[in-house]
């Protein structure tokens, strides 16, 4: 744990094989952003990808940058932060197949079964941002905006950005190639203590519908 | 003296937008550094130290600390004796224009969209946005304008509890909220936790939100028993065994603030709010002579604002006058 690893993109299967849950990763090369807006266009509406992504990179960042356009048409990226990935897990299988993406970067990971069933079988790992508000550090790692697609149609937050990055990180490996999950492991350890925190506390007088009383359950 | 100019007001609004997005308030930074020292778990410690590095980079490079630049909103306190150009609607216009300009210039993320049609004007301005909350202060000639850039879709909840649920009920609801949103770190903890107790449902939410966003780390409620409860519940939050990102650790809360409001005799509504790792706030005081001072402590909860005592000052003075 807490070992630092640099990875060049597109990431080779060998470089991904070295990762284990909790490794600290920095990326060099190109990453692209895509979230529900882009997934919907390509997977549901069957629109063509604006660039042949797999020729350039295999790293998909679930992110909406704080960006604005300069007068000369170039873009300024201030800070870069990931957005919560669990909402996108339903798209992942088809998306990885369509784009040959092998590194999924986002916030907070996805359910552990998705790693076992969707990411790991396709040779893909999941990296999570740290904190999660490390926007300035990640922004510093973005050297250049190579291009942006569907900006008009989807807006700044949902558009597909291609970033050239250097020393981009830190990220923590959540899922490795076997589909082990750091969040799941840590969650189990945290759960061992939870009952103790509730000791002596009675249920409220009025309950609510849909409540689980098992605090070991995840709510995502 | 000349009234405060509209330019001064707009300048103040614009500057605090930039400061809030980029510079972490010093009280929160000091609090986070203390959390880093206390945290014994390697992973959780790594996360907190990375955050400290992130704040330093943000300030050095004038970048927003987090790309989710939150939902910018404003809290304004106007002294009774303040005189300013443009009236109250003029001030609201300045706020909207400063918000739009800062969104482009910082740059900040245009987060504000129509809730149904997802329309985005790319400037963080829209229907009922940014929110402006007004308050007033006796015996003052200044205007305080605070902006808060509150991030996070996660970390807030409300529940109607009842007097019989007692302090244990509040503690339990707090734990529920922190665990629900703390797993995987959705709340971006360690956070400043705000708890609103009492009022009506909407005031309960408002008090909790303001407790989280408008009081600095280390500040205690003036009621000694509530101050004690703040410390007790902070301790409970940090004893869940959870740290940043939901990893094993002991850092959920950097501080915990409670605000109360008189409520219906049958109920005890409670709200919990978390002001995330990007606890962004900045305040400008525009003095009567037009000069502007900037700070990070909103000083929002004044004795007058809390309406302490059983009647307002005016009533007491009236009574005294009658007796004189
Ligand atoms: S909750 Fe706060 S720190 Fe986390 S992503 Fe949102 S604004 Fe950033």
């Amino acid at each position: 744990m807490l070992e630092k690893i640099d990875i060049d993109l597109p990431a080779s299967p060998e470089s991904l094989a070295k990762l284990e849950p909790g490794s600290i990763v920095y990326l060099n090369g190109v990453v692209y952003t895509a979230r529900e807006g882009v997934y919907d266009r390509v997977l549901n509406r069957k629109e063509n990808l604006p660039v042949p992504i797999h020729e350039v990179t295999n790293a998909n960042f679930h992110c909406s940058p704080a960006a604005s356009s300069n007068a000369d048409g170039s873009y300024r990226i201030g800070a870069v932060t990931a957005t919560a990935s669990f909402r996108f897990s339903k798209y992942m299988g088809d998306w990885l197949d369509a784009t040959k993406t092998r590194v999924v970067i986002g916030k907070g990971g996805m359910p552990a079964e998705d790693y076992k069933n969707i990411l790991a079988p396709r040779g893909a790992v999941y990296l999570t941002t740290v904190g999660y508000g490390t926007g300035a550090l990640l922004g510093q790692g973005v050297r250049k905006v190579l291009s942006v697609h569907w900006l008009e149609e989807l807006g700044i937050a949902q558009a597909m950005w291609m970033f050239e990055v250097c020393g981009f990180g830190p990220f923590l490996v959540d899922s490795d190639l076997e589909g082990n999950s750091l969040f799941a492991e840590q969650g189990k350890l945290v759960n061992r203590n939870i009952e103790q925190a509730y000791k002596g506390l009675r249920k409220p007088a009025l309950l609510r519908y849909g409540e689980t009383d098992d605090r070991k359950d995840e709510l995502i | 003296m000349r009234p405060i100019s509209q330019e001064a007001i707009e300048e103040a609004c614009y500057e605090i937008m930039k400061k809030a997005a980029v510079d972490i308030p010093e009280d929160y930074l000091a609090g986070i550094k203390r959390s880093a020292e206390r945290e014994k778990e390697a992973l959780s410690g790594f996360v907190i130290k990375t955050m400290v590095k992130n704040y330093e980079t943000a300030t050095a490079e004038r970048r927003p600390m987090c790309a989710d630049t939150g939902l910018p909103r404003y809290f304004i306190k106007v002294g009774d004796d303040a005189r300013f150009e443009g009236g109250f609607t003029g001030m609201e216009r300045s706020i909207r224009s400063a918000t739009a300009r800062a969104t482009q210039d910082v740059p900040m993320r245009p987060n504000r969209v129509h809730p149904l049609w997802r329309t985005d004007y790319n400037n963080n301005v829209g229907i009922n946005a940014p929110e402006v909350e007004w308050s007033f202060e006796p015996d003052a000639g200044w205007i305080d304008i605070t902006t808060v850039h509150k991030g996070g879709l996660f970390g807030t909840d409300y529940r109607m509890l009842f007097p019989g649920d007692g302090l244990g009920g509040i503690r339990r609801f707090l734990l529920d909220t922190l665990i629900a949103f703390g797993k995987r770190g959705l709340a971006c903890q360690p956070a400043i936790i705000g708890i609103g107790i009492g009022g009506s449902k909407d005031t309960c939410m408002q008090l909790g939100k303001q407790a989280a966003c408008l009081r600095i780390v280390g500040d205690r409620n003036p009621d000694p028993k509530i101050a004690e409860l703040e410390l007790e519940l902070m301790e409970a939050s940090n004893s869940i065994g959870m740290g940043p990102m939901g990893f094993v650790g002991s850092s959920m809360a950097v501080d915990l603030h409670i605000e109360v409001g008189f409520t219906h005799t049958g109920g005890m509504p409670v709200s919990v709010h978390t002001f995330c790792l990007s606890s962004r706030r900045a305040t400008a005081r525009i003095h009567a002579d037009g000069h502007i001072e900037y700070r990070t402590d909103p000083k929002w909860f004044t004795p007058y604002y809390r309406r302490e005592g059983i009647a307002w000052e005016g009533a007491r003075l009236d009574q005294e006058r009658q007796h004189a």
Side-chain angles (χ1 to χ4, degrees):
Chain A
M1 272 235 233
L2 302 193
E3 183 197 355
K4 280 191 193 137
I5 299 173
D6 276 290
I7 290 189
D8 293 328
L9 297 169
S12 64
E14 301 75 52
S15 67
L16 296 183
K18 278 191 278 182
L19 304 180
E20 42 186 285
S23 311
I24 299 164
V25 174
Y26 289 83
L27 301 173
N28 303 299
V30 178
V31 300
Y32 71 93
T33 72
R35 47 184 299 183
E36 66 268 39
V38 169
Y39 296 149
D40 178 57
R41 287 201 162 233
V42 177
L43 299 177
N44 298 338
R45 301 206 231 159
K46 308 285 176 218
E47 290 185 34
N48 288 328
L49 279 168
V51 263
I53 301 173
H54 67 275
E55 289 173 14
V56 192
T57 177
N58 56 3
N60 176 185
F61 191 15
H62 290 152
C63 144
S64 310
S68 70
S69 45
N70 294 323
D72 64 0
S74 62
Y75 295 94
R76 230 155 11 109
I77 299 294
V80 172
T81 307
T83 192
S85 297
F86 70 86
R87 299 168 289 167
F88 312 135
S89 72
K90 62 177 182 212
Y91 299 106
M92 278 296 109
D94 292 340
W95 185 254
L96 299 188
D97 290 341
T99 58
K100 304 199 173 61
T101 292
R102 295 296 174 259
V103 181
V104 179
I105 311 160
K107 168 177 171 178
M110 294 189 275
E113 314 84 76
D114 289 354
Y115 295 147
K116 287 272 187 230
N117 300 331
I118 301 171
L119 264 65
R122 291 174 171 82
V125 299
Y126 182 96
L127 310 181
T128 175
T129 53
V130 175
Y132 299 91
T134 50
L137 279 180
L138 295 176
Q140 193 183 35
V142 174
R143 288 298 135 94
K144 207 157 103 193
V145 175
L146 294 177
S147 56
V148 52
H149 308 278
W150 288 323
L151 181 60
E152 208 98 308
E153 295 87 338
L154 295 173
I156 287 177
Q158 293 273 345
M160 181 184 233
W161 296 83
M162 309 282 294
F163 294 143
E164 187 182 301
V165 300
C166 182
F168 189 46
F171 302 104
L172 284 167
V173 176
D174 179 20
S175 170
D176 61 9
L177 283 181
E178 286 165 26
N180 299 309
S181 162
L182 176 68
F183 281 117
E185 286 167 18
Q186 290 283 312
K188 266 186 220 142
L189 293 173
V190 168
N191 279 347
R192 290 195 310 210
N193 193 46
I194 279 184
E195 249 153 63
Q196 159 277 120
Y198 279 85
K199 230 175 38 219
L201 297 178
R202 281 178 293 124
K203 279 191 184 182
L206 182 68
L207 293 182
R208 299 198 284 201
Y209 275 128
E211 284 194 330
T212 162
D213 228 30
D214 188 350
R215 301 288 170 337
K216 292 173 183 152
D217 287 351
E218 288 220 57
L219 294 177
I220 63 170
Chain B
M1 201 177 305
R2 298 214 352 248
I4 294 169
S5 71
Q6 217 171 338
E7 290 80 62
I9 293 172
E10 175 143 355
E11 181 191 327
C13 296
Y14 179 74
E15 280 305 313
I16 53 176
M17 285 293 286
K18 296 218 285 199
K19 286 181 194 298
V22 172
D23 298 311
I24 194 79
E26 51 270 35
D27 58 285
Y28 183 78
L29 180 62
I32 269 288
K33 285 184 173 162
R34 278 195 297 275
S35 300
E37 277 162 31
R38 270 197 315 257
E39 183 57 70
K40 293 192 188 71
E41 295 289 332
L43 259 177
S44 285
F46 167 73
V47 177
I48 302 176
K49 283 184 203 118
T50 306
M51 290 312 304
V52 171
K53 225 196 273 169
N54 181 65
Y55 304 136
E56 288 163 0
T57 308
T59 293
E61 299 202 353
R62 306 311 300 163
R63 288 173 187 278
M65 62 187 87
C66 182
D68 181 347
T69 44
L71 292 183
R73 57 190 297 160
Y74 294 85
F75 299 86
I76 305 185
K77 207 181 269 307
V78 185
D80 267 344
D81 306 325
R83 296 292 168 264
F84 52 96
E85 282 173 358
F88 290 98
T89 57
M91 214 187 294
E92 293 200 334
R93 265 196 294 278
S94 292
I95 281 175
R96 295 173 79 80
S97 125
T99 305
R101 285 196 296 129
T103 299
Q104 166 71 24
D105 294 351
V106 172
M108 294 171 57
R109 196 162 84 191
N111 272 341
R112 289 278 192 176
V113 302
H114 190 287
L116 295 172
W117 327 132
R118 317 310 288 179
T119 319
D120 188 344
Y121 300 125
N122 279 331
N123 61 6
N124 279 316
V125 175
I127 301 175
N128 279 319
E131 298 87 346
V132 182
E133 285 175 54
W134 293 93
S135 71
F136 310 98
E137 193 63 16
D139 307 317
W142 41 252
I143 304 170
D144 270 2
I145 306 181
T146 296
T147 187
V148 165
H149 300 177
K150 170 96 170 56
L153 308 174
F154 314 103
T156 301
D157 204 358
Y158 164 87
R159 185 159 192 160
M160 177 57 91
L161 296 176
F162 298 91
D165 291 323
L167 294 182
I170 296 174
R171 175 194 278 254
R172 185 181 159 112
F173 177 56
L174 169 68
L175 294 177
D176 281 355
T177 309
L178 294 181
I179 293 171
F181 294 112
K183 278 189 200 280
R184 293 172 187 258
L186 293 182
C188 288
Q189 68 265 17
I192 305 178
I193 297 168
I195 302 183
I197 307 177
S200 303
K201 183 174 191 171
D202 54 341
T203 30
C204 179
M205 287 301 279
Q206 196 180 23
L207 285 171
K209 168 86 94 186
Q210 295 183 355
C213 299
L214 299 176
R215 284 175 53 193
I216 63 169
V217 174
D219 183 42
R220 294 273 70 88
N221 190 290
D223 178 330
K225 284 213 285 260
I226 294 181
E228 210 176 291
L229 186 62
E230 289 179 335
L231 294 173
E232 209 181 294
L233 292 181
M234 175 158 68
E235 175 61 30
S237 308
N238 287 332
S239 307
I240 295 171
M242 201 188 262
M245 298 178 73
F247 295 154
V248 178
S250 57
S251 321
M252 279 303 281
V254 175
D255 205 347
L256 186 145
H257 301 309
I258 298 174
E259 289 298 325
V260 297
F262 273 37
T263 191
H264 189 287
T265 178
M268 188 175 65
V270 178
S271 72
V272 173
H273 307 250
T274 52
F275 201 13
C276 63
L277 274 167
S278 300
S279 284
R280 292 159 294 200
R281 53 172 141 73
T283 301
R285 173 162 293 181
I286 314 174
H287 289 274
D289 64 5
H291 88 274
I292 308 173
E293 264 177 309
Y294 296 98
R295 58 177 203 260
T296 51
D297 181 354
K299 298 191 175 140
W300 177 256
F301 286 97
T302 60
Y304 173 75
Y305 183 77
R306 287 193 177 104
R307 309 293 198 276
E308 288 170 10
I310 52 165
W312 63 86
E313 193 73 355
R316 190 178 60 82
L317 291 178
D318 281 349
Q319 264 173 4
E320 276 175 8
R321 241 173 264 133
Q322 275 166 14
H323 289 294

